[in-house]
Amino acid sequence: MSFNRRKFNRLLLAGTGAVVAAPFVRAQGAWPNKPMRVIVPYAPGGFTDVMARLVSQHLSTRLGQPVLVENKPGGGSLIGVDAIAKSQPDGYTFGVVIAAYAANMTLYQKLPYAQKDLQPVSLIGVSPLVAAVNKDLPYKTAQQMIAFAKANPGKISYGSSGNGSAVHLSTELLKMLTGTYMLHIPYRGAAPALSDLIGGHIQLFMDAASGLIQPIKTGKVQGIGVASDKRLPALPDVPTFIEQGIKGFTGSTWAGMLAPTGTPPEVIKRVSDEIAQIVKLPDVVSRFETMGVIPSGSGPQEFDRFIEEEIKKWGNVIKTAKITAD
């Protein structure tokens, strides 16, 4: 048999490629090979928890491993976020955070973790805030409310789900943009604030759309504005603040996935790519629409830029309004 060098070289290169590729294939196949966990820095049942469980359910199906949600509430989300930051970066621990994560970078003088300890994975979705007033008040639109607030400084009390929350900061931004003074009443969560709005103990409350859609639709409260550049499909009759002449006013809460820094980049990319597909699934799109959530599914770099913009935006509000965590 004659020696064919060209054929030999092709075989040698093919064999070398197989040797080089084999560890890569094995490494790719090795993850995930055990259950994963998603830490939520809040109690079960809230916006963050619902978003985390919805995504985790689909991740489990697509990755072929259980994806377990672990709630670690407390400390204004600091306990849970710290747990994410200090977890092993082995690709088996992730976390879902909301807008408070960005605000806390300025709100607290000292954090138990650093921003560099956490790696952005994907922005899952954004929920523009909706403002509502007590249904028995004479003002029924944002402009009417602003006119009343200017004529009666301090006569409007607004509730929030706590100091430094997206609701608190967004309402303070509204005050800045309109030159009004309204009294802040912080609550331990959105539910008691909404209850007091319905009962007439406060006049204004802004919340994620999921918390106000039904009260507005059933007439328990009066929706006066959406803090976004577009109306929400779930509340088509509630105009945006921008439509009502309050230029530049936007405010939202959002849900995004993080991982401890050092998590393998190929794992970060895989999870991010899966989330980008998950938020397009018909059942997820439908659920988001009923919650007033705008799907995102952005990649790690885009989410990183989004976080930086949020830190800057809300940092300015915190400093200007002299807001503290207490």
Side-chain angles (χ1 to χ4, degrees):
M1 181 183 294
S2 62
F3 179 73
N4 188 323
R5 181 173 296 278
R6 182 174 297 177
K7 184 176 181 181
F8 174 80
N9 286 340
R10 284 202 305 270
L11 290 170
L12 179 62
L13 286 172
T16 304
V19 171
V20 171
F24 178 77
V25 171
R26 284 198 298 271
Q28 289 292 91
W31 181 92
N33 59 14
K34 63 179 182 178
M36 300 162 61
R37 66 172 180 159
V38 173
I39 295 174
V40 174
Y42 298 94
F47 173 79
T48 323
D49 183 67
V50 170
M51 294 289 282
R53 291 180 187 277
L54 185 59
V55 169
S56 296
Q57 174 187 348
H58 285 283
L59 274 177
S60 178
T61 301
R62 297 171 76 90
L63 296 176
Q65 289 290 341
V67 180
L68 310 174
V69 173
E70 184 176 327
N71 297 90
K72 286 185 175 292
S77 80
L78 301 189
I79 292 173
V81 175
D82 188 47
I84 303 167
K86 291 181 170 57
S87 295
Q88 284 292 327
D90 56 5
Y92 290 92
T93 298
F94 296 83
V96 172
V97 298
I98 54 174
Y101 170 74
N104 286 347
M105 296 296 175
T106 306
L107 191 63
Y108 291 90
Q109 292 186 346
K110 187 176 181 180
L111 292 168
Y113 53 84
Q115 188 180 355
K116 64 179 177 61
D117 298 331
L118 294 144
Q119 166 70 49
V121 178
S122 178
L123 176 62
I124 300 168
V126 177
S127 179
L129 299 182
V130 176
V133 297
N134 179 275
K135 65 182 178 62
D136 297 323
L137 293 172
Y139 38 85
K140 306 297 183 184
T141 68
Q143 283 291 10
Q144 291 172 356
M145 184 195 70
I146 296 303
F148 181 90
K150 286 183 176 179
N152 303 274
K155 291 295 180 69
I156 293 180
S157 295
Y158 78 89
S160 81
S161 50
N163 278 340
S165 63
V167 173
H168 180 200
L169 300 183
S170 294
T171 313
E172 287 297 319
L173 177 58
L174 177 64
K175 288 167 56 179
M176 292 177 193
L177 293 174
T178 58
T180 54
Y181 172 69
M182 294 180 277
L183 183 64
H184 175 220
I185 309 294
Y187 290 81
R188 291 184 178 275
L194 177 58
S195 178
D196 271 7
L197 179 71
I198 294 171
H201 303 295
I202 57 175
Q203 291 72 51
L204 170 67
F205 179 51
M206 200 178 297
D207 195 14
S210 58
L212 284 173
I213 288 172
Q214 285 308 310
I216 290 173
K217 285 186 173 181
T218 55
K220 291 182 178 179
V221 297
Q222 173 69 45
I224 62 165
V226 178
S228 177
D229 56 354
K230 294 180 181 178
R231 295 193 186 196
L232 292 175
L235 292 170
D237 296 328
V238 180
T240 68
F241 282 92
I242 295 172
E243 282 181 77
Q244 299 178 77
I246 304 171
K247 295 181 180 179
F249 179 56
T250 60
S252 65
T253 189
W254 44 264
M257 184 169 282
L258 303 174
T261 295
T263 300
E266 62 271 19
V267 172
I268 295 284
K269 184 179 186 308
R270 174 72 185 279
V271 173
S272 179
D273 289 347
E274 293 293 353
I275 291 174
Q277 295 303 312
I278 288 170
V279 299
K280 296 175 184 176
L281 297 174
D283 66 312
V284 176
V285 171
S286 176
R287 184 70 185 278
F288 277 9
E289 186 170 310
T290 62
M291 293 173 62
V293 175
I294 300 168
S296 176
S298 68
Q301 292 183 338
E302 187 179 349
F303 185 30
D304 190 34
R305 289 193 295 271
F306 177 87
I307 291 172
E308 290 299 330
E309 290 169 1
E310 287 281 286
I311 291 173
K312 183 179 179 180
K313 176 180 179 176
W314 300 121
N316 288 336
V317 173
I318 290 167
K319 292 172 185 175
T320 303
K322 297 181 172 58
I323 296 170
T324 65
D326 302 322

